[in-house]
């Protein structure tokens, strides 16, 4: 009774629309249902109700997104057809340790089109002759029965499946991104082009400064030439004046 009260209180305190996984193992059901478990858990993907004394699935709420359902160690003997209506997207169903005896009971699971793994371990049906072959023939959609496929290959763990899916996503991202070396080469080419441009700019700057220096030198040479020419003209003027003064000086001497 205390367990039932605790589970009920826990369900009431949760926001059901946000719950994706729910474990209610060892809780005691009442009249085929657990108080607090209802259709408001619309995002639920995993539900475990092991050893809760379920005798029927008739009062199971509709859980459209549910993919994995654990119902081991209960008292279920039939009525499996309701699963296709209330949990149409189931991929994994564990009914081990229940009261399932014959193939006609399992036949009701044919409408679960997405079902890949079914566990009937410790059910009376497993004592039937050609049990595995008969179930695989009856349920074409399943890949694993009691944890093994038709070639006795063991089913992967849920964590391994998630890792494989993550690796596939990573591979797709790498393919979309392209080879890693491709962009590095482009970067190198861009760097080379930028280096070349800098070199040309340096050459232009050097050439420009060189030309400016030449122009300055030419101007200085022109100034020197003008000064030299002015000095020469000045010297010629002095010599001319001297020549004019010499005859005058000679005349003065004669008068004397």
């Amino acid at each position: 009774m205390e367990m039932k009260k605790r589970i009920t209180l826990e369900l009431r305190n949760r926001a059901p629309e946000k719950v994706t996984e729910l474990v209610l193992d060892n809780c005691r059901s009442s009249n085929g249902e657990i108080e607090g478990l209802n259709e408001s858990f619309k995002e639920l993907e995993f539900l475990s109700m092991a050893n809760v004394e379920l005798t029927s699935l008739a009062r199971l709420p509709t859980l459209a997104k549910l993919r994995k359902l654990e119902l081991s160690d209960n008292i279920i003997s039939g009525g499996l057809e309701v699963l296709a209506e209330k949990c149409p997207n189931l991929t994994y169903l564990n009914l081990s340790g229940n009261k399932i005896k014959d193939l006609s009971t399992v036949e009701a699971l044919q409408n679960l089109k997405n079902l890949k793994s079914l566990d009937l371990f410790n059910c009376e049906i497993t004592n039937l002759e050609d049990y595995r072959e008969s179930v695989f023939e009856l349920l074409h959609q399943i890949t694993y029965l009691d944890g093994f496929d038709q070639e006795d290959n063991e089913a992967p763990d849920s964590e391994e499946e998630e890792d494989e899916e993550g690796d596939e996503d990573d591979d797709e991202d790498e393919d979309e991104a392209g080879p890693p070396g491709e962009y590095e080469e482009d970067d190198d080419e861009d760097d080379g082009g930028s280096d070349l441009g800098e070199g040309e700019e340096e050459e232009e700057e050097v050439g420009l400064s060189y030309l400016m220096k030449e122009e300055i030198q030419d101007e200085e040479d022109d100034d020197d030439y003008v000064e030299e020419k002015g000095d020469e003209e000045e010297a010629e003027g002095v010599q001319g004046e001297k020549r004019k003064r010499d005859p005058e000086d000679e005349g003065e001497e004669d008068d004397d």
Side-chain angles (χ1 to χ4, degrees):
M1 182 65 68
E2 290 181 1
M3 176 69 74
K4 179 179 178 181
K5 288 181 179 179
R6 184 175 63 81
I7 295 296
T8 302
L9 181 61
E10 182 179 352
L11 288 175
R12 286 177 178 175
N13 290 338
R14 291 191 179 190
E17 67 278 1
K18 296 181 180 180
V19 177
T20 58
E21 296 185 6
L22 187 60
V23 178
L24 302 174
D25 297 350
N26 302 314
C27 172
R28 293 293 175 262
S29 63
S30 176
N31 297 323
E33 69 176 350
I34 295 178
E35 187 178 353
L37 179 62
N38 51 52
E39 295 180 0
S40 61
F41 289 86
K42 56 185 178 181
E43 298 296 324
L44 201 61
E45 296 180 2
F46 174 84
L47 174 62
S48 182
M49 296 190 296
N51 191 31
V52 297
E53 297 184 355
L54 272 179
T55 58
S56 169
L57 297 176
R59 305 186 72 173
L60 184 71
T62 299
L63 302 169
K65 291 189 176 183
L66 194 68
R67 298 176 62 235
K68 295 184 178 182
L69 180 59
E70 291 270 1
L71 296 171
S72 60
D73 300 322
N74 283 291
I75 320 170
I76 300 169
S77 59
L80 301 182
E81 61 274 1
V82 301
L83 289 175
E85 176 187 349
K86 298 187 175 184
C87 309
N89 291 308
L90 276 183
T91 60
Y92 172 85
L93 176 62
N94 187 351
L95 292 167
S96 61
N98 279 278
K99 303 298 181 181
I100 299 172
K101 299 179 180 180
D102 48 57
L103 292 172
S104 60
T105 304
V106 176
E107 187 176 4
L109 299 176
Q110 287 179 335
N111 292 327
L112 285 172
K113 303 301 182 181
N114 296 317
L115 189 64
K116 299 300 178 186
S117 182
L118 174 65
D119 196 341
L120 298 170
F121 186 70
N122 279 345
C123 292
E124 290 185 39
I125 190 175
T126 60
N127 297 324
L128 295 177
E129 186 177 357
D130 299 329
Y131 150 71
R132 288 182 60 81
E133 291 80 358
S134 299
V135 173
F136 275 119
E137 185 177 350
L138 191 64
L139 304 175
H140 298 288
Q141 77 273 33
I142 69 171
T143 303
Y144 300 101
L145 177 62
D146 301 333
F148 294 87
D149 64 11
Q150 296 188 61
E151 284 76 35
D152 290 331
N153 296 313
E154 190 173 2
D157 293 335
S158 298
E159 293 181 359
E160 292 180 2
E161 290 179 353
E162 292 175 0
D163 291 340
E164 289 176 1
E165 291 177 359
D167 293 340
E168 289 177 0
D169 294 339
D170 292 341
D171 293 340
E172 290 177 0
D173 293 339
E174 288 180 1
D175 292 340
E176 292 176 0
E182 181 177 346
Y183 298 103
E184 293 177 0
E185 291 179 1
D186 293 342
D187 293 339
D188 292 341
E189 290 178 2
D190 294 340
D191 293 340
S194 62
D195 292 341
L196 182 59
E198 291 176 0
E200 290 177 353
E201 290 177 1
E202 288 179 0
E203 288 181 2
E204 290 178 359
E205 291 176 0
V206 170
L208 182 60
S209 61
Y210 178 76
L211 291 174
M212 292 177 67
K213 287 179 181 179
E214 280 198 344
E215 289 177 0
I216 293 169
Q217 187 64 40
D218 290 342
E219 290 177 358
E220 290 178 352
D221 292 343
D222 291 340
D223 293 339
D224 293 342
Y225 175 75
V226 171
E227 290 178 359
E228 289 177 359
K229 187 175 180 181
D231 293 341
E232 289 177 358
E233 290 177 352
E234 185 177 348
E236 288 177 358
V238 171
Q239 290 177 357
E241 289 180 359
K242 189 175 181 180
R243 289 193 188 108
K244 289 179 181 179
R245 291 169 60 188
D246 288 343
E248 291 177 357
D249 293 339
E250 289 177 358
E252 292 177 355
E253 291 178 355
D254 291 339
D255 292 335
D256 293 341

